[in-house]
Amino acid sequence: MELHTFAYTIGVLELIIFIPVLVSGSKAVAWMQTFSNNDIAMRSMGCVLTILGALVLVGDWSIGTDPAGLIRLVAWACVIKGLFASWKPSVLSRNMKLMSNAGMRPVIGVVGIAIGAALIYGAGLV
């Protein structure tokens, strides 16, 4: 898979997930908790993340400080998170406690949007 395709895909996914956290936090968190408690949904999402990350890393798995290297770092994170979601979904569903804190939601939303925007910007550079 081309780096720019991966970066656009994950960047848009980040925006789809974290813009609602910033705009309507309680509804977004309720949806996320429902999703994270569904074992089949978590395992399926984990499989997809693992496949996307692995397809990027097949070409070159080196991490660097250039945009391509940072996108590969995100691919490594996707593989690791995907494996956890596939094998141990309960570990990730326990992390939803941070999202239930109403004071942290804007911070998490802004960080998620920044990561998504950086991935989309980085896709244009590679």
Side-chain angles (χ1 to χ4, degrees), residues 1-64:
M1 175 182 280
E2 298 290 329
L3 279 177
H4 67 275
T5 305
F6 172 78
Y8 280 131
T9 303
I10 299 299
V12 168
L13 185 63
E14 288 279 321
L15 294 177
I16 288 171
I17 291 172
F18 288 106
I19 288 174
V21 170
L22 193 60
V23 174
S24 178
S26 58
K27 290 180 183 178
V29 169
W31 175 82
M32 287 178 170
Q33 287 174 338
T34 302
F35 184 86
S36 69
N37 290 332
N38 186 338
D39 192 56
I40 293 173
M42 286 292 287
R43 290 179 190 270
S44 299
M45 187 245 345
C47 288
V48 170
L49 284 177
T50 303
I51 291 168
L52 287 174
L55 286 173
V56 169
L57 296 175
V58 165
D60 185 9
W61 51 270
S62 62
I63 298 172

